[in-house]
Amino acid sequence: MISRTPVAAAASLGLCALALGGAATATAAADDDQAMVSVFHAVPGLDVDVYANGDELIPDFKPGTLTDPQPLPAGSYDLKVFKAGADPKGKPAIQKTVEVPAGANATVVAHLNADGAPQLDAYVNDTSDVAAGKAWLTVRHVAAAPAVDVRAGGTPVFKDLVNPKEDTATVNAGTVSADVVLAGTDDVAIGPTDLNLKEGTATIVYAWGSAEDKNLALKVQTLTGMHSAPSGVNAGATNDPDAWPAYAAGFGLLGLAGALTARRAVSRDRA
């Protein structure tokens, strides 16, 4: 089993520019120069207002929100994030200018680190074809909690996962009962919950929240369209947790501002 963690990079995928596709002064590339980007706000108890290039994009953005993937144009964006209701003429809690290049499907997650401090990580989502009868399954630890095991039907399949790492596998399509336990124990921290792993999909499970505050929860993201013909079955695909292939290396700590800007920007981009 292989764990991965986002790799620090100044402009990695430019994913902080989530939802900034229509910002007034952004430098945008051609329509075909886009990335597909989702954002998950996983910081409990933190409502924020987000601005890009001086324009308010999302007022009162709530924790627990996961946006759908949206195409975003490449460009340069100045991001500012304020506590919800704060004067935007004041000093922002976070300010960052980011570049947005094209390509890839990714999710940016604003969450708590293992010590309970807010941070942001970006992850690439595997949208490559999966063998007939199979599905992608990814688990991401983005909670203020110690190392965990993720079990399917009571059997650990992702072991000793620490914040902010992830594990990915190809698995048989079907419904599985999953829960999260403290690593090496049977002490259930989250769940159980049923996961419907449909053929040709990628299911991404986020363990988020705070163990200390007793608000740990699961959030599920599902991406579709990864079907392949039976003739394309990969004989190496397996449900053996020790043989599951690595994919979707993370892309960098991009700053909280960008991760919290998806919703309003989508409507601006469509306007």
Side-chain angles (χ1 to χ4, degrees), residues 80-186:
K80 295 181 181 180
V81 59
F82 298 87
K83 184 177 179 180
D87 185 354
K89 296 180 180 179
K91 182 179 180 180
I94 302 173
Q95 181 175 2
K96 187 178 182 70
T97 299
V98 298
E99 299 296 326
V100 183
N105 183 304
T107 303
V108 175
V109 185
H111 65 100
L112 300 177
N113 65 18
D115 296 323
Q119 71 175 51
L120 185 144
D121 288 304
Y123 302 87
V124 170
N125 301 317
D126 189 351
T127 56
S128 60
D129 287 347
V130 67
K134 300 288 186 176
W136 287 109
L137 175 62
T138 297
V139 177
R140 293 170 180 165
H141 186 338
V142 293
V148 298
D149 297 337
V150 180
R151 305 188 305 184
T155 301
V157 289
F158 295 106
K159 297 181 180 180
D160 204 26
L161 194 63
V162 298
N163 184 320
K165 290 187 178 181
E166 63 174 353
D167 272 329
T168 286
T170 53
V171 297
N172 290 327
T175 300
V176 61
S177 178
D179 62 8
V180 178
V181 299
L182 299 181
T185 76
D186 292 321

Side-chain angles (χ1 to χ4, degrees), residues 39-82:
V39 60
F40 177 33
H41 181 1
V43 180
L46 180 65
D47 295 356
V48 298
D49 299 332
V50 181
Y51 290 75
N53 296 338
D55 294 328
E56 185 181 64
L57 296 179
I58 308 178
D60 199 27
F61 194 56
K62 301 292 186 182
T65 302
L66 173 64
T67 70
D68 292 331
Q70 298 293 336
L72 302 175
S76 178
Y77 303 90
D78 178 34
L79 306 178
K80 295 181 181 180
V81 59
F82 298 87

